[in-house]
Amino acid sequence: MKINKLSIAVLFLSGSVFYAQETKQDTITKEKKIEGVVIQGSSNKKTETAVLGEQKKAIIQKQAVSAEEISRKGISNVEQGLTKVTGITTVEGRGLFVRGLEERYNYLLINGLGSPSNNPFQKIIALKQFPTDVVGKLNIYKTFNSNLYGDFAGATFDIETLTIDKSFSKVEFSVGVNTLSTFRDNFKVAEGADGMNGYLGLNSRDRRLPSEIRNARPNNYRFTTDESLNSFKDSWNVDNVKTMPNTSIGFTTVQKVKAGETGNLGILFSLNQGTKFEYKEGDNNQFRAQGSTLIDNMNYLTRKQYNFQTESSILLGLGYKNRGTNVNLNAIYLQNTNNIIEDNFGYKDQQIQNKDTGFFRTNQLDISRFLDLQLTASQKISDRHQLKGGISYVINNYSQPDRKILDGNRADSTGKMLPDGQVLMSYGGNNLIRQYLDVNSRFYGSAYAEYQLSLGEKGDRKDYPIQITAGYNGFTDFRKTSYRFIFGRRASDLNPSFITNIDTPQNTFDASIRKGDLFYQEGSDISQFFSSFYQIINAGYANVNIKPNDSWDILLGARYEHDMTLIRYSEQSAKYKTNVEKIKDFILPSLSIKKAIDTKNNLRFSFSKTVTRPILIETMPIKYISPDNVNIVGNENIQNSENYNFDLKWEYFPTNKEMFAVNLFAKHIKNAIERSLVASGDATGATITYFNAKKADIYGVELEGILNLGRISEALDKFTLGANATIMYSNVERSQDQLDMEEPTWFKTTGEKLRKRGLQGAAPYTINADLKYEFKNRNNLSQTFSLVYNVSGSKIYATGGAGTDNYYEKPFHQLDFVYQNQLTKNWNLKMGVQNILNNKYRILLGDKNYLPLNLEEGNNTLTNYYRGVTFNLTVGYTF
């Protein structure tokens, strides 16, 4: 396979903002005066020590990952960086979990401005798309303050892009080898995905909806012979290639010049491009309760999945600074593609006769494009008056164009197994399907404006005793969803089965079209092919920060948030659209209190009320079809959750590089949103859908420590141990909708009750740890060795129904090793090993079912696979 490693700027955009919303607070530490001389420190805000100091001073619970820590731990993207923070872990394909809570409970800011998701299946952007080369600092807010959006229960993440501190340029190249995917023979990629067009994501142009129906409403259009041959630019064929190593290349430059006598003008540009191959193989099963007798297999499949991914990012920032004036114009562009070939072997829909011979393939391209333009400004009018504001405009599109599904059998008509790579097929039914999903942004805009007034007299203190802040922030998000189907139809009932090569069936299909045996016809429901989603959030807020003396810090806030949501869709075969309006006002109070017991100890308390809004797919009224007949159905009537959050935390900072903390927290969630996996209402397949629970209660403790091991022995002085753990208990009270879905039918006559369970997605524990060894050579250049580990406990992936237990996502243990060496002033080397333990990812049906199990080979696995061990080498040159 030949791929030019050439980075091309798809757009000239990407951006840096030099301000991120935060409340600046101080502890009782004062400037030290000796004989009239003021001793003041100046530090790099990107270092781990500076970030720890900022965490100590902040009144709300704010944690951060510095640029220095990002580099030391070999972190290549934002998602990896956030998993190093207390209580945060990443879950396969479903984003970040905070304090064991699903990704739906998080919110994302980019430089303080709201950001939509570029994927309808996730609440926030897949943060692995943000390379750390464009990040100055990652801020994590785990307690709420009124200037944050009210959509908060787990955490709010704020990505601060690079700031223009000093001029430099850097080039970095990385190569990675994975034990499962690299140098693999017969790795399957869609035809055309392995060239330059696929590398840049341009192959999606050939997979667009055909022009004959692209701008028309569905009307069961039948493609002519010529149109069936020529209107579809993308082939059913796949290429078998030998995979190359994963690679990435990045270039960043920052230039700073004088502008007038006191001003500075800066420009920042960063370009990153990467490719990755990934192979997964494992079970893909489904289970069903058969009436009131037993639970058996609905699907019994082995899945082989081939992923070829590309990621592109471009960052451009312009900044002007002059005394109290800061103006920044920024832009960021992200593009992510995933070319997927997925083969399934076995049976589905309880067609047990196909256990050894069944086969179906999905040929899929996921592509997302995200462009965020930002303008921010701040003005210090005087020492007591400050203004700041910002606006953003986002173009945001996600699509799965021409998702091709092919169904066949690996035995001939006599039952004899065919040679590898051949299948028996016939036209008609669901044997040939093309799906076209588009989720397009019509408009997304975000803005904030804030005024801060300081009252009282400073005296010997650094800050005024009273700070009053008033402001506005909000966003508008309009999206349109289009979901259309084209089927391969047989021309007559006299259409015999045939044998074809599964990797090169296109010529066979073309010959059948010419003979008149096959044609294409749209099969989209005329009323359901599109839906619209409109959301407008406007909020005003006020904070009063009171510092009665050097040891107390009290922040009282209130937020009014007006939520206007409209969903427009059609019921099946309906003549007119249905409008679902959700208009609600929220009053969201917050209180944060910090008591500095002395210069090393803090005691914190916080309370807040917040909301949780569903992910788009959870509320989008479409039936997302999958070839294994496990479909996703949104619930347009899903309600926002309302959360009451409590935190009590003690912090101890023995030195400026060490800390220990214990945090007790509790949450009461009304209308908690949960995922369910139940049998479909049409008697075939299964459905993933979403319901509100009546309420959920969560209680937990977070433990965190950073310790220099020189305390134990002088010989260990260069070692630092960082560890954190979250232990949590949750309990759910089900809603009536959930009771109707989860209870077996005989409960209505026997009066039996469902067992208690925890909140879907909530992990009982999360553990992160890292051990660092750092030393400097005679040229004062540093080398670091880091060993990083994380895991989270077994959690409910989806609730079961009609007699089955819940489905549990089992612990996944990840251990990484990173070595970094600053070879010279200019050259830097990083080597890493990721996923050393190569633990198996597993989702299992629980063992507390209400019916006896009768499963194939006693296998209760929903899905499982290995990811392999990855070895990375990165070389960077700074000049």
Side-chain angles (χ1 to χ4, degrees):
M1 172 179 174
K2 296 181 180 179
I3 300 180
N4 285 318
K5 301 303 182 213
L6 174 66
S7 297
I8 293 181
V10 183
L11 293 173
F12 67 96
L13 298 167
S14 250
S16 170
V17 168
F18 316 122
Y19 166 78
Q21 287 182 336
E22 62 184 73
T23 304
K24 296 182 179 178
Q25 305 298 333
D26 296 307
T27 63
I28 64 173
T29 303
K30 299 179 181 179
E31 298 172 349
K32 184 178 180 182
K33 297 183 178 181
I34 302 177
E35 296 181 354
V37 179
V38 179
I39 307 299
Q40 293 179 304
S42 176
S43 64
N44 183 352
K45 294 181 180 180
K46 298 178 183 179
T47 67
E48 291 181 75
T49 302
V51 166
L52 193 61
E54 186 178 350
Q55 177 180 332
K56 179 182 178 182
K57 294 177 181 179
I59 184 171
I60 61 175
Q61 285 193 35
K62 173 186 173 183
Q63 292 176 269
V65 182
S66 67
E68 180 184 272
E69 185 176 1
I70 286 170
S71 177
R72 173 177 68 80
K73 293 183 178 177
I75 297 166
S76 62
N77 61 64
V78 168
E79 184 173 277
Q80 286 182 1
L82 290 171
T83 61
K84 315 310 175 188
V85 175
T86 305
I88 299 180
T89 186
T90 183
V91 177
E92 291 285 288
R94 301 209 315 283
L96 292 163
F97 282 41
V98 179
R99 290 176 171 175
L101 295 177
E102 282 267 13
E103 191 216 31
R104 73 170 67 87
Y105 294 98
N106 303 327
Y107 195 74
L108 175 67
L109 303 173
I110 301 177
N111 296 309
L113 285 158
S115 173
S117 173
N118 61 348
N119 186 328
F121 301 95
Q122 291 188 262
K123 179 69 170 284
I124 60 179
I125 295 172
L127 295 177
K128 66 180 181 179
Q129 296 182 29
F130 280 86
T132 50
D133 280 350
V134 306
V135 175
K137 189 171 62 174
L138 307 177
N139 297 306
I140 305 99
Y141 299 89
K142 291 202 289 187
T143 58
F144 178 70
N145 185 37
S146 62
N147 67 337
L148 299 173
Y149 282 95
D151 196 345
F152 181 105
T156 291
F157 306 122
D158 188 3
I159 301 174
E160 289 187 34
T161 48
L162 281 172
T163 56
I164 303 173
D165 297 324
K166 61 180 180 179
S167 297
F168 75 92
S169 296
K170 180 175 75 172
V171 178
E172 195 169 70
F173 178 77
S174 178
V175 60
V177 177
N178 180 274
T179 54
L180 281 181
S181 60
T182 307
F183 303 124
R184 188 180 189 90
D185 291 320
N186 297 318
F187 188 94
K188 299 184 186 299
V189 294
E191 194 172 71
D194 57 338
M196 179 56 68
N197 282 345
Y199 181 67
L200 297 176
L202 302 179
N203 58 321
S204 61
R205 296 178 301 184
D206 292 337
R207 302 180 73 134
R208 292 185 300 170
L209 199 65
S211 58
E212 289 85 356
I213 60 174
R214 188 179 305 155
N215 298 313
R217 294 176 61 86
N219 60 0
N220 294 321
Y221 183 84
R222 175 170 174 166
F223 290 80
T224 66
T225 298
D226 183 67
E227 290 169 345
S228 294
L229 288 170
N230 299 309
S231 295
F232 300 90
K233 305 300 182 184
D234 194 61
S235 171
W236 287 86
N237 293 346
V238 303
D239 293 330
N240 289 280
V241 302
K242 188 179 185 70
T243 57
M244 295 293 100
N246 304 327
T247 61
S248 67
I249 187 169
F251 170 73
T252 301
T253 183
V254 174
Q255 301 300 324
K256 185 177 180 180
V257 297
K258 295 286 290 183
E261 294 185 4
T262 59
N264 289 299
L265 182 65
I267 183 169
L268 181 152
F269 176 75
S270 181
L271 175 66
N272 292 270
Q273 179 76 38
T275 62
K276 179 182 178 182
F277 295 92
E278 186 177 54
Y279 174 77
K280 299 176 182 178
E281 180 175 349
D283 297 332
N284 180 25
N285 301 326
Q286 289 295 338
F287 312 100
R288 174 183 289 184
Q290 291 287 0
S292 59
T293 56
L294 55 84
I295 297 170
D296 61 2
N297 285 83
M298 182 174 60
N299 289 4
Y300 188 64
L301 299 164
T302 297
R303 174 169 51 194
K304 296 181 179 181
Q305 188 180 91
Y306 309 82
N307 297 271
F308 171 53
Q309 303 173 50
T310 71
E311 294 177 353
S312 309
S313 70
I314 309 167
L315 177 69
L316 178 66
L318 300 173
Y320 173 74
K321 185 175 182 179
N322 189 358
R323 294 178 178 174
T325 302
N326 286 277
V327 180
N328 304 289
L329 177 63
N330 318 281
I332 184 165
Y333 176 79
L334 303 173
Q335 178 177 282
N336 177 266
T337 70
N338 190 7
N339 293 272
I340 305 168
I341 303 296
E342 182 177 293
D343 290 342
N344 280 268
F345 305 84
Y347 71 81
K348 57 183 177 178
D349 293 338
Q350 297 186 314
Q351 297 175 349
I352 300 175
Q353 69 276 13
N354 293 328
K355 178 178 178 180
D356 298 320
T357 62
F359 174 85
F360 58 90
R361 167 174 289 177
T362 306
N363 182 335
Q364 176 176 324
L365 170 64
D366 294 356
I367 183 164
S368 64
R369 296 183 174 97
F370 177 88
L371 171 63
D372 190 353
L373 306 175
Q374 300 182 335
L375 173 65
T376 62
S378 65
Q379 178 65 54
K380 186 174 182 179
I381 301 172
S382 69
D383 200 34
R384 293 180 180 269
H385 303 271
Q386 296 184 48
L387 286 171
K388 61 186 177 185
I391 58 172
S392 70
Y393 172 69
V394 178
I395 300 173
N396 178 32
N397 297 303
Y398 172 89
S399 65
Q400 288 179 351
D402 201 0
R403 183 183 187 225
K404 292 181 283 294
I405 300 168
L406 180 154
D407 206 322
N409 200 289
R410 293 184 297 140
D412 64 19
S413 55
T414 67
K416 180 181 178 181
M417 290 296 294
L418 293 168
D420 287 346
Q422 293 190 352
V423 292
L424 179 73
M425 291 188 62
S426 62
Y427 300 127
N430 293 325
N431 291 345
L432 289 178
I433 305 176
R434 296 177 184 262
Q435 298 179 7
Y436 299 82
L437 172 66
D438 290 284
V439 182
N440 293 318
S441 172
R442 290 178 169 178
F443 176 82
Y444 183 93
S446 174
Y448 73 85
E450 186 176 285
Y451 168 69
Q452 181 176 297
L453 170 66
S454 299
L455 300 175
E457 298 299 329
K458 283 186 180 180
D460 292 335
R461 295 181 301 186
K462 188 176 181 181
D463 284 331
Y464 289 98
I466 300 176
Q467 292 178 353
I468 300 174
T469 302
Y472 159 87
N473 55 22
F475 67 83
T476 298
D477 187 4
F478 297 164
R479 303 196 210 190
K480 176 183 177 181
T481 300
S482 173
Y483 195 31
R484 302 178 74 158
F485 298 82
I486 296 175
F487 293 87
R489 304 291 193 192
R490 60 186 183 188
S492 69
D493 292 335
L494 301 176
N495 192 7
S497 58
F498 58 92
I499 295 172
T500 187
N501 186 301
I502 190 59
D503 291 338
T504 57
Q506 187 65 54
N507 287 340
T508 301
F509 298 161
D510 288 347
S512 297
I513 292 171
R514 293 188 182 96
K515 287 174 58 180
D517 293 336
L518 171 67
F519 64 90
Y520 289 111
Q521 184 172 21
E522 181 169 13
S524 311
D525 187 283
I526 296 175
S527 61
Q528 287 191 301
F529 77 99
F530 84 90
S531 57
S532 299
F533 175 85
Y534 306 87
Q535 186 171 51
I536 301 174
I537 305 295
N538 286 300
Y541 61 88
N543 288 327
V544 179
N545 189 190
I546 304 171
K547 302 171 191 258
N549 55 47
D550 286 336
S551 66
W552 284 95
D553 215 339
I554 303 170
L555 182 63
L556 182 63
R559 180 181 181 88
Y560 165 73
E561 200 161 273
H562 182 60
D563 182 339
M564 296 186 295
T565 300
L566 171 65
I567 302 171
R568 299 193 72 229
Y569 74 103
S570 294
E571 301 284 355
Q572 187 169 7
S573 302
K575 186 175 181 181
Y576 300 105
K577 289 283 182 187
T578 297
N579 292 334
V580 177
E581 294 184 3
K582 304 176 186 180
I583 300 176
K584 194 160 186 180
D585 296 312
F586 296 99
I587 302 295
L588 306 176
S590 62
L591 171 66
S592 295
I593 301 174
K594 187 185 76 171
K595 167 65 175 175
I597 300 171
D598 54 35
T599 58
K600 294 184 177 181
N601 290 271
N602 289 332
L603 191 63
R604 302 174 181 273
F605 171 78
S606 66
F607 161 77
S608 63
K609 180 184 177 183
T610 58
V611 299
T612 295
R613 297 182 173 92
I615 301 170
L616 186 60
I617 192 64
E618 296 176 345
T619 192
M620 193 164 60
I622 66 170
K623 184 176 183 179
Y624 178 78
I625 306 291
S626 293
D628 58 4
N629 287 338
V630 181
N631 307 315
I632 302 175
V633 178
N635 180 357
E636 66 277 5
N637 295 312
I638 204 87
Q639 298 298 308
N640 295 337
S641 302
E642 297 185 29
N643 319 305
Y644 297 85
N645 313 288
F646 302 85
D647 286 82
L648 179 63
K649 185 175 186 180
W650 168 70
E651 298 173 327
Y652 173 54
F653 298 86
T655 69
N656 65 352
K657 294 184 178 180
E658 296 178 303
M659 70 89 65
F660 300 94
V662 179
N663 183 33
L664 304 176
F665 65 90
K667 295 179 184 292
H668 175 73
I669 305 176
K670 295 173 60 178
N671 298 321
I673 301 169
E674 297 191 295
R675 179 190 301 107
S676 299
L677 179 54
V678 296
S680 294
D682 57 8
T684 61
T687 296
I688 295 174
T689 191
Y690 307 89
F691 295 99
N692 289 111
K694 189 173 181 179
K695 67 177 182 178
D697 292 308
I698 296 173
Y699 308 95
V701 58
E702 288 181 328
L703 307 172
E704 182 178 12
I706 302 172
L707 174 68
N708 186 291
L709 298 187
R711 290 179 172 273
I712 301 173
S713 169
E714 191 174 334
L716 300 176
D717 184 61
K718 293 182 172 60
F719 286 91
T720 301
L721 175 65
N724 59 73
T726 302
I727 303 169
M728 187 173 70
Y729 166 81
S730 65
N731 182 59
V732 163
E733 182 177 338
R734 300 169 175 90
S735 64
Q736 188 59 50
D737 286 340
Q738 290 180 308
L739 290 172
D740 293 342
M741 182 269 298
E742 292 185 45
E743 286 183 343
T745 55
W746 67 88
F747 273 29
K748 290 181 171 54
T749 57
T750 64
E752 293 179 69
K753 300 294 183 182
L754 293 167
R755 287 183 291 269
K756 288 185 176 181
R757 62 169 174 82
L759 178 66
Q760 181 268 313
Y765 66 85
T766 300
I767 300 172
N768 297 323
D770 75 273
L771 179 65
K772 176 182 74 170
Y773 175 75
E774 181 176 16
F775 69 95
K776 294 186 178 181
N777 62 21
R778 60 186 179 184
N779 295 320
N780 202 36
L781 298 174
S782 65
Q783 295 185 55
T784 59
F785 298 80
S786 297
L787 201 60
V788 184
Y789 169 80
N790 54 32
V791 66
S792 63
S794 178
K795 51 189 169 289
I796 298 175
Y797 165 76
T799 64
T804 63
D805 194 0
N806 305 308
Y807 298 87
Y808 292 90
E809 197 163 23
K810 307 306 287 184
F812 182 87
H813 301 266
Q814 177 148 339
L815 180 66
D816 301 334
F817 170 77
V818 181
Y819 166 70
Q820 178 172 282
N821 189 352
Q822 189 68 42
L823 299 171
T824 69
K825 183 180 178 180
N826 303 103
W827 288 98
N828 177 270
L829 176 70
K830 297 179 191 176
M831 291 185 290
V833 186
Q834 294 179 333
N835 197 30
I836 295 171
L837 302 177
N838 197 22
N839 200 214
K840 179 180 280 189
Y841 176 75
R842 299 175 299 152
I843 301 177
L844 307 180
L845 173 65
D847 57 6
K848 295 181 179 179
N849 297 279
Y850 297 92
L851 290 169
L853 300 179
N854 182 29
L855 305 181
E856 295 279 2
E857 301 179 14
N859 186 354
N860 68 331
T861 301
L862 185 76
T863 187
N864 62 17
Y865 52 83
Y866 289 101
R867 295 193 311 180
V869 182
T870 300
F871 300 84
N872 285 310
L873 174 66
T874 303
V875 178
Y877 181 77
T878 303
F879 55 95

